[in-house]
Amino acid sequence: MRNFGNVFSTMPGKCFRFVTDGFGRPGQCIEPIVVTGIFEDDRGETFEVQACEFHAKDLRDTTPVSSS
């Protein structure tokens, strides 16, 4: 699962990262979310987003998402 450039989304309930599907097409990561945290884009702007376990490493100030 490779990141699609630095494309991301702030849509609640979805992992913030866009990934390639193996054929070069972008799509939002479909893995279950496990944390909420702060993502800083290339311009230095910060966004509160949610991430899967794999993409959580790209965030700071993470908080686990409850499983209920």
Side-chain angles (χ1 to χ4, degrees):
M1 166 172 31
R2 271 200 315 215
N3 292 346
F4 188 80
N6 204 22
V7 179
F8 66 97
S9 169
T10 59
M11 183 183 300
K14 301 280 187 181
C15 180
F16 78 107
R17 279 289 190 197
F18 275 67
V19 295
T20 59
D21 65 0
F23 298 99
R25 296 179 298 220
Q28 196 160 7
C29 178
I30 61 169
E31 295 297 315
I33 58 166
V34 296
V35 298
T36 296
I38 303 298
F39 175 69
E40 185 173 331
D41 70 9
D42 292 339
R43 298 173 305 197
E45 284 191 64
T46 58
F47 301 87
E48 186 173 332
V49 297
Q50 294 178 318
C52 69
E53 185 175 354
F54 180 78
H55 291 115
K57 68 184 181 329
D58 297 336
L59 304 181
R60 67 174 195 248
D61 303 329
T62 58
T63 303
V65 173
S66 79
S67 58
S68 54

